[in-house]
Amino acid sequence: MHITPPATPVSSMKTFTTRRLRILASRVFDSISCIFLVNQAITISRVTGLIIDVRPISALEDVFEDGKIDVIDLLNENITLIPGLIDTHVHLFLHPYSETSWNDQVTQESTVERVIRATIHARNTLMAGYTTVRDLGTEGAEDSDVALRKCVSGPSPMIPGPRLFTASRAIVSTGSYGPKSHLYPSVEGVDGKHGAEVADGEAECIRAVRRQIGAGADWIKIYADYPIRARSAAVNPRMADRDLPLFTRRELCAMIETAHALGVKVAAHASRSETCRLLVDVGVDCIEHGLFMDKEALLAIKNSPQRVIWSPTLATFAEDGPYSQFMRFSKKSFQEALRIGDIRFGCGGDTGTFAHGLNASELLTMIDYGADWRDVLKWATIGGWECVRGIQWEGESGYRRLQAFANAALKAHVDTSAEPEAEIEPFEEIGEWPLGDNDVPLGAIKPGFAADIVGISGDLMMDGKEALLKALGGMSDPFHPPLVIKAGRVCKLNGKELV
């Protein structure tokens, strides 16, 4: 094995010039098996943005391939590599309610201001090690997330940010959501601003789903229950706080069936156990919050034929403090799910209700409530992709497609031609070129998966939970990974932002 370094160590440079990048790492987390691989060489194609080879360094004849490959050598660094993290529930167009209330953000901040804020939030998210997010509603910023997705996508994105799966405008029923006028409480919205799209009856529900998908949404978000009677709080506080169903079974079926027919999954905001059981029964893909879920609802999720994923958004409730009933109920439901076992989780904290860049608060809260740290890393990586990915990746056909990606990547690695086309051709042969940012495998450091990689300070293999907690910081301290790579592009190196 030839391991003579190049004249200028790549780790001290701010530009990478060859079409391939190789990372030498002493520890790599395998998110599928939850084990660690030691002394690995990860080879990345910056032409395709995919990982094309992972093998022990000892199996390489020439680490630097006679200067034809850039190398980041982390062997002497106290760093563990993990796949890029995935947040399954964010709102990039919101900022913390402790700064400005939801109502004031929607009614008093212009769409231009909110878009500018979202670009800053996208950067903060990426630099905190989150290379993919699912935005579950712009909350009054209409379809701005579709335009933002365009700006953070592609081999040369306009601005730095994570891969962005969009849901645009959530769907609600008449009278259920905000903002609401104090002078005209029966009028939907304030000054033309609506927090979500209103639809009633099967025909309107189908129309709303088709309109949003036609506008470019990756996901459909439904509010399945909500405290619709909040305006009666002064005289009937308990009913005002109660989450009530917003749609009939037939309306829910109409929306979910329409979305699935168009190749789009559905996520539903729900708190009540009865609502969650109904959603599972009518074929929803993901449940968000699930604050008051009981054992029966959790078992329904576990045994669902569509393998429903639950994003409990623990971090947003933990923000309310230990004396909050919401925090207590969310903790109770999550711990009951852990006792039941084999429930699929998404790691999304409802980021935006608290600061972007603090996305790892959800991981910290899950661990604090008793989840094994290895499971949490799995849920936040390969489990995150299983949550946000499109329908085309599900089932046997999705598995075959994943294998085809792996085979094409390995074929691209074998060809040492200096021409970039050599790495494109294997994907052309299987009909997968050009690649789309949101239509490639994510969440694992394996051939055929996106080259989304994050370095965590510390030895997770030896020090485990303690090392992870130390690296992730606290609930009010952003995670500062020393290395962030998205789609083969080095965004952060040695803790310094390069984009």
Side-chain angles (χ1 to χ4, degrees):
M1 177 181 67
H2 177 61
I3 197 164
T4 303
T8 304
V10 173
S11 59
S12 68
M13 298 166 57
K14 289 192 176 182
T15 58
F16 298 88
T17 57
T18 66
R19 83 171 199 264
R20 288 186 181 182
L21 173 66
R22 178 168 289 156
I23 307 172
L24 309 180
S26 53
R27 295 171 296 275
V28 178
F29 179 68
D30 184 331
S31 58
I32 296 175
S33 62
C34 287
I35 63 172
F36 288 91
L37 307 176
V38 298
N39 297 330
Q40 298 291 299
I42 303 161
T43 306
I44 295 167
S45 166
R46 288 210 298 275
V47 177
T48 63
L50 301 180
I51 297 167
I52 56 176
D53 187 62
V54 180
R55 68 178 65 193
I57 296 171
S58 59
L60 295 174
E61 292 184 5
D62 183 355
V63 169
F64 298 98
E65 294 190 10
D66 197 26
K68 295 179 181 177
I69 190 167
D70 290 327
V71 176
I72 296 177
D73 187 351
L74 302 175
L75 292 174
N76 295 320
E77 305 289 338
N78 189 26
I79 290 176
T80 303
L81 293 188
I82 65 170
L85 296 167
I86 299 173
D87 192 324
T88 60
H89 192 134
V90 307
H91 296 281
L92 288 174
F93 293 84
L94 292 177
H95 56 100
Y97 298 161
S98 59
E99 298 173 358
T100 309
S101 70
W102 180 90
N103 204 73
D104 285 353
Q105 289 185 51
V106 176
T107 60
Q108 296 181 28
E109 294 177 357
S110 70
T111 301
V112 173
E113 177 184 346
R114 297 186 68 195
V115 169
I116 293 171
R117 286 182 181 273
T119 64
I120 298 169
H121 300 157
R123 183 186 191 99
N124 292 344
T125 300
L126 178 63
M127 295 309 164
Y130 280 80
T131 53
T132 301
V133 299
R134 180 180 60 169
D135 190 300
L136 286 178
T138 62
E139 306 289 330
E142 302 175 347
D143 308 313
S144 299
D145 56 345
V146 175
L148 180 61
R149 182 184 63 194
K150 175 183 177 182
C151 295
V152 298
S153 299
S156 300
M158 189 182 304
I159 58 171
R163 299 173 193 269
L164 177 56
F165 289 79
T166 64
S168 293
R169 315 167 191 228
I171 301 175
V172 298
S173 57
T174 294
S176 61
Y177 207 55
K180 291 184 178 181
S181 168
H182 291 287
L183 292 178
Y184 307 102
S186 64
V187 175
E188 295 289 333
V190 173
D191 295 333
K193 286 292 185 180
H194 301 267
E197 180 169 356
V198 174
D200 299 299
E202 293 173 63
E204 283 189 13
C205 287
I206 290 171
R207 189 176 299 115
V209 169
R210 288 173 175 166
R211 182 188 302 112
Q212 292 191 15
I213 293 173
D218 300 299
W219 276 79
I220 291 297
K221 162 95 174 280
I222 298 169
Y223 276 81
D225 62 26
Y226 205 70
I228 188 173
R229 297 187 63 184
R231 282 297 180 90
S232 65
V235 295
N236 199 347
R238 276 166 288 284
M239 281 304 298
D241 288 341
R242 185 174 298 179
D243 291 282
L244 299 171
L246 301 194
F247 294 102
T248 66
R249 181 188 185 95
R250 292 177 64 176
E251 287 171 325
L252 290 172
C253 283
M255 288 186 281
I256 292 169
E257 289 173 3
T258 300
H260 286 174
L262 297 174
V264 173
K265 290 181 179 179
V266 178
H269 168 117
S271 296
R272 304 163 70 244
S273 281
E274 300 90 334
T275 306
C276 293
R277 293 197 299 270
L278 172 60
L279 287 166
V280 170
D281 196 39
V282 297
V284 80
D285 301 287
C286 295
I287 291 176
E288 310 302 307
H289 309 303
L291 187 60
F292 304 114
M293 277 204 285
D294 58 16
K295 185 175 181 178
E296 187 178 352
L298 292 167
L299 286 171
I301 289 174
K302 175 180 178 177
N303 299 319
S304 58
Q306 71 270 37
R307 303 183 70 217
V308 171
I309 294 178
W310 176 33
S311 292
T313 64
L314 303 175
T316 192
F317 300 121
E319 281 279 300
D320 294 335
Y323 301 107
S324 161
Q325 65 165 335
F326 296 124
M327 185 259 192
R328 294 199 303 273
F329 278 112
S330 67
K331 182 177 182 179
K332 180 181 177 181
S333 296
F334 181 69
Q335 290 179 333
E336 179 64 23
L338 293 179
R339 283 190 287 271
I340 291 171
D342 295 326
I343 287 176
R344 303 171 77 203
F345 293 103
C347 284
D350 209 353
T351 316
T353 62
F354 55 92
H356 298 278
L358 293 177
N359 307 63
S361 296
E362 184 72 3
L363 281 65
L364 292 167
T365 309
M366 286 179 157
I367 294 170
D368 182 52
Y369 290 175
D372 185 277
W373 65 273
R374 288 167 291 255
D375 290 336
V376 173
L377 272 184
K378 182 172 185 174
W379 299 334
T381 52
I382 188 68
W385 179 57
E386 291 172 352
C387 177
V388 304
R389 69 188 181 188
I391 285 177
Q392 66 272 21
W393 288 100
E394 301 298 340
E396 183 62 31
S397 61
Y399 176 77
R400 289 195 301 269
R401 192 176 179 211
L402 185 59
Q403 293 302 113
F405 261 73
N407 293 335
L410 291 171
K411 187 174 181 181
H413 177 256
V414 170
D415 194 330
T416 57
S417 166
E419 298 300 321
E421 290 76 12
E423 293 176 11
I424 295 173
E425 287 173 2
F427 293 94
E428 288 180 327
E429 291 171 2
I430 61 172
E432 294 287 358
W433 189 263
L435 303 175
D437 274 38
N438 292 2
D439 195 27
V440 292
L442 308 172
I445 301 178
K446 291 184 177 294
F449 279 76
D452 294 356
I453 299 172
V454 170
I456 289 187
S457 297
D459 186 344
L460 269 62
M461 186 170 70
M462 294 297 294
D463 301 325
K465 176 181 175 181
E466 290 72 23
L468 179 61
L469 293 178
K470 182 179 179 181
L472 293 180
M475 295 290 284
S476 59
D477 181 24
F479 173 38
H480 295 291
L483 174 71
V484 177
I485 297 174
K486 176 197 167 191
R489 188 184 190 202
V490 182
C491 302
K492 194 176 187 182
L493 182 63
N494 297 329
K496 298 180 180 179
E497 300 180 7
L498 304 185
V499 292

